[in-house]
């Protein structure tokens, strides 16, 4: 680089940033640079008042009547319709409910059942060994219990998909952006590969929804699930979402047939009959308070666009990579995240032989990222509330820690999804 | 009766009621007599402050760190340990997680797997046609998808259990207190019947936990699930609980194998290995805010005992039955709930040919019960916050509505679990 970037340059970019005003929508702790919104998004300011309203008014005063009067029944679909534009889905195709793990279970079960009808010889589910583990565990649980010869085929890197997706493949199940590396699949191309071989494509958008532009319909994806408490800022453990496109809804079936997925739940009939549309993806009664707060995060997305967010996200991750490489150059850091924009999510991961200890020191200094085995320091960039100066300051702390060797090499490990 | 009960008698009983002080722990709307705590419990006053704390401090300020520093990881087990004494369970046997429907799915799957090991010829799950429908739906979903010859046998009344529970029966799956009639099974006797024939007993405590004394260990029950948002006052749709006694835990397996049930979740290993103990009943990330508020309801139970609550509950339901029968005697009301104390839960149900319309009128007048097909008006009595004068006043409204014919006979229907 001819010109070495300074903190003032970063501040100048913040001054010009059309998204900078959105930081005010969040309550962030003083003295913290939060680079872990890919694990748990920050709190929208509106969430506190909304929580009070749900607890004091809707629950306390409305009591059971609030199922109708406060719109609790409509919440899973109403929130789903607000997520839809962020992921290229349509109205009536998404519900917010249960957990990502459970929604993956439902979507995979539905996909397997569709394939069993179409072409029962296909018995392989292809995924990546580096997929988020719970996705693999849920697929394992489902297939082991079905006990009808379904097999999981785990590829070690995306290049192997070409060979693994063949005429035995029933479902290609991938996480769009890898939780550890930040690698982003080409959803349209990979889905086309699946379809070319007769497989269905199921996408986990946990690290994509609200992080990168997603267009499920343009990619012709078959099923998708995702998380609301990461980039969508829905609150700790807030219910997840499931997308079933309209053309698959009539055929969509899954084993978790609870009352809320019933065609006529209040007839109290002793036999299950699935509701029309996406409602059949619902199962039991949902945690209303956690569910309601998801809306506060989604409202903020309506003040901008995924394209604007993506532009800033790439600028932030480019800046971070550039500053780490230029300012911490003498240290054994290895960039894990793709440099290629199209293959990058909204995070940057670096390895360091003492990555866990270094991350602990960063956190003690108020720079909150997280750590993932093996040796990976993970930094999430959330354009809604991360500034260019934050990036500078975070790298400056990292540089200082590394230069001083100010980290423990024997720190105890622990981490959170 | 020699002496006709008066409102003053009811007030006198309230003045003598040692539990009356607990009403202050709840925020109830002015002008409402709430007899639907069997559907959605009232709001503990403490819940508002706790919600603010979780949203503003734990989420907003603690962010991702709160998984450890605010004890989010420990919540499912900590809450489970607080429910344990209410249901005759022990520490380390209960977790609060997911929904009742999903926990039933896990428990039933676990019970079927145990029986498949012990005695694979047993292929029948016995339950009641009048069981809460979602329990039947979940069993239907599980067995249809397993597709290995499991059959549901639905009995039409408890007397048929003696014949239905035979050497073909793998699992007897019952709701302890019927949601519609308030009929309470003799848990110990029915469990003994199951065991005598080699079956396992799975109990749904949705209308029992916090409503009637339950002693799962004394009854030698095998599995149980239950709800926190009814009599336990945990908040709308708050996560449910599952109980697996220590002696079954090592053998307990279910298909919903998510990250939180893994032995070493942060190793991020690509193969599932179940955690020891009740933790293996967990699956995905839980809705922390809804989960945390469950504690506010449970704290109130620690100020009294299930025996004291049961004594008042029976007094309230006896009084309600007596007043309805004496004061509304000329109207076509039919008592559905057993008069026998041992067979009665904490609710009273009456049929009326226009039950739906009558209930709508009651609700309009501030007496909130609910309606269940066919023709059943359901009144739940929650000794923590229901007074004897409430019972009088509720019956007085009912009498006035019936005497005046002040109800619509064509009202549109709808109801909530």
């Amino acid at each position: 680089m001819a010109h070495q970037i300074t903190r003032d340059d970063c501040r100048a970019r913040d001054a010009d940033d059309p998204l900078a005003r959105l930081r005010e929508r969040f309550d962030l702790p003083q003295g913290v640079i939060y680079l872990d919104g890919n694990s748990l998004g920050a709190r929208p300011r509106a969430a506190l008042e909304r929580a009070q309203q749900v607890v004091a008014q809707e629950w306390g005063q409305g009591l059971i009547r609030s199922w109708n009067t406060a719109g609790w029944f409509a919440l899973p679909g109403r929130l789903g319709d607000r997520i839809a534009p962020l992921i290229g889905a349509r109205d009536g195709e998404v519900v917010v409910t249960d957990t990502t793990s459970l929604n993956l279970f439902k979507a995979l079960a539905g996909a397997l059942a569709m394939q069993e009808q179409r072409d029962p010889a296909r018995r392989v589910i292809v995924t990546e060994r580096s997929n988020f583990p719970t996705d693999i565990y849920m697929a394992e649980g489902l297939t082991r219990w079905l006990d009808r010869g379904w097999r999981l085929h785990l590829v070690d890197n995306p290049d192997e998909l070409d060979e693994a997706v063949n005429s035995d493949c029933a479902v290609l199940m991938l996480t769009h952006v890898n939780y550890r590396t930040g690698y982003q699949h080409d959803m349209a191309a990979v889905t086309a590969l699946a379809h070319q071989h007769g497989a269905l494509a199921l996408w986990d958008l946990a690290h994509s929804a609200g992080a990168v532009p997603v267009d499920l319909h343009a990619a012709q994806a078959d099923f998708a699930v995702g998380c609301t408490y990461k980039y969508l800022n829905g609150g700790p453990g807030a219910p997840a979402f499931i997308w079933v496109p309209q053309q698959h809804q009539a055929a969509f079936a899954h084993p978790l047939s609870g009352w809320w997925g019933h065609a006529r739940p209040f007839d109290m009939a002793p036999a299950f009959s699935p509701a029309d549309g996406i409602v059949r993806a619902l199962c039991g009664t949902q945690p209303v308070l956690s569910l309601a707060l998801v809306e506060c995060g989604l409202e903020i997305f309506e003040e901008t666009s995924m394209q604007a967010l993506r532009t800033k996200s790439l600028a932030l991750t480019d800046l971070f990579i550039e500053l780490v490489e230029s300012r911490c150059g003498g240290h054994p850091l290895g960039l894990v995240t793709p440099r290629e924009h199209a293959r990058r999510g909204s995070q940057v991961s670096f390895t360091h032989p003492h990555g866990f200890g270094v991350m602990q020191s960063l956190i003690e200094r108020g720079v909150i990222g997280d750590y993932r085995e093996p040796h990976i320091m993970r930094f999430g960039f959330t354009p809604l509330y991360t500034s260019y100066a934050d990036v500078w300051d975070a790298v400056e702390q990292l540089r200082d820690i590394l230069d001083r060797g100010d980290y423990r090499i024997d720190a105890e490990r622990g981490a959170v999804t």
Side-chain angles (χ1 to χ4, degrees), chain A:
Chain A
M1 298 275 137
H3 169 70
Q4 194 160 335
I5 300 169
T6 64
R7 191 172 195 278
D8 282 344
D9 295 333
C10 294
R11 288 171 53 97
R13 293 177 77 170
D14 286 326
D16 286 343
D17 173 14
L19 299 182
R21 67 192 162 83
L22 294 176
R23 186 182 179 116
E24 288 309 304
R25 296 285 185 285
F26 294 90
D27 181 47
L28 284 156
Q30 290 290 326
V32 161
I33 297 172
Y34 192 58
L35 303 180
D36 210 9
N38 50 328
S39 194
L40 171 61
R43 173 171 87 74
R45 286 190 192 278
L48 186 59
E49 197 181 327
R50 180 85 180 107
Q52 289 170 327
Q53 183 195 345
V54 175
V55 172
Q57 298 305 315
E58 298 183 9
W59 176 14
Q61 299 295 302
L63 290 161
I64 192 69
R65 299 169 290 197
S66 288
W67 278 99
N68 294 304
T69 57
W72 292 351
F73 270 124
L75 264 178
R78 193 173 83 213
L79 297 173
D81 286 346
R82 289 187 96 152
I83 289 174
L86 303 178
I87 58 173
R90 297 178 188 140
D91 277 3
E93 294 187 334
V94 181
V95 279
V96 177
T97 190
D98 293 331
T99 64
T100 312
S101 297
L102 290 166
N103 288 333
L104 184 96
F105 184 92
K106 297 173 202 167
L108 181 59
L112 295 181
M114 279 175 63
Q115 289 291 36
E116 209 155 37
Q117 288 290 318
R118 289 182 188 182
D119 186 354
R122 294 175 179 272
R123 277 294 187 258
V124 177
I125 300 158
V126 173
T127 190
E128 291 179 278
R129 194 178 306 282
S130 66
N131 195 350
F132 192 62
T134 203
D135 290 23
I136 301 176
Y137 304 159
M138 295 306 288
E140 235 187 289
L142 177 65
T143 55
R144 182 187 301 130
W145 283 73
L146 292 183
D147 194 21
R148 293 207 283 281
W150 299 105
R151 298 190 305 283
L152 276 172
H153 178 89
L154 307 181
V155 304
D156 284 308
N157 79 67
D159 294 345
E160 296 172 28
L161 289 175
D162 265 332
E163 201 177 314
V165 179
N166 55 36
S167 60
D168 293 332
C169 178
V171 179
L172 175 59
M173 174 186 103
L174 293 171
T175 298
H176 181 222
V177 174
N178 187 281
Y179 76 101
R180 186 155 44 186
T181 64
Y183 176 90
Q184 178 178 173
H185 284 286
D186 180 338
M187 183 184 284
V190 174
T191 299
L193 172 72
H195 289 177
Q196 186 187 325
H197 293 275
L200 294 168
L202 190 176
W203 292 98
D204 181 341
L205 306 178
H207 292 265
S208 312
V212 299
V214 175
D215 193 335
L216 290 164
H217 275 290
Q220 300 190 280
D222 295 293
F223 295 94
V225 301
C227 176
T228 66
Y229 59 76
K230 298 178 187 285
Y231 291 96
L232 295 179
N233 308 305
F241 65 84
I242 178 168
W243 170 74
V244 181
Q246 208 187 343
Q247 76 269 19
H248 289 338
Q249 287 178 359
F252 178 58
H254 63 84
L256 305 177
S257 43
W259 74 267
W260 209 339
H262 197 284
R264 293 165 304 279
F266 300 117
D267 282 6
M268 301 285 178
F272 186 74
S273 170
D276 285 340
I278 190 65
V279 172
R280 64 177 56 186
L282 300 178
C283 176
T285 308
Q286 291 303 296
V288 169
L289 182 53
S290 286
L291 192 60
L293 297 204
V294 172
E295 201 146 28
C296 302
L298 296 177
E299 283 162 0
I300 301 171
F301 281 89
E302 291 169 13
E303 299 182 44
T304 177
S305 70
M306 283 311 305
Q307 284 309 329
L309 290 166
R310 178 62 170 166
T311 300
K312 182 173 172 188
S313 162
L314 287 169
L316 290 168
T317 53
D318 277 345
L319 177 65
F320 185 74
I321 293 169
E322 187 176 340
L323 288 176
V324 170
E325 293 186 335
S326 61
R327 298 179 62 79
C328 312
H331 298 285
L333 292 164
L335 178 66
V336 175
T337 303
R339 286 182 203 276
E340 186 189 347
H341 282 180
R343 295 286 69 75
R344 191 192 303 165
S346 197
Q347 71 177 70
V348 177
S349 299
F350 279 98
T351 53
H352 184 280
H354 301 296
F356 185 76
V358 174
M359 182 53 75
Q360 288 301 103
S361 292
L362 278 167
I363 293 171
E364 282 160 21
R365 292 173 177 220
V367 178
I368 303 181
D370 64 19
Y371 174 80
R372 285 293 178 272
E373 297 290 349
H375 308 307
I376 290 179
M377 297 186 291
R378 199 170 68 149
F379 302 90
F381 295 87
T382 313
L384 290 172
Y385 53 77
T386 305
S387 70
Y388 296 95
D390 285 340
V391 174
W392 173 276
D393 293 340
V395 174
E396 195 53 21
Q397 291 295 337
L398 176 64
R399 186 197 58 69
D400 190 66
I401 287 166
L402 294 173
D403 285 353
R404 293 173 189 260
D406 181 24
Y407 52 87
R408 288 180 302 156
I409 61 172
D410 60 346
E412 264 187 57
R413 298 182 178 194
V416 173
T417 65

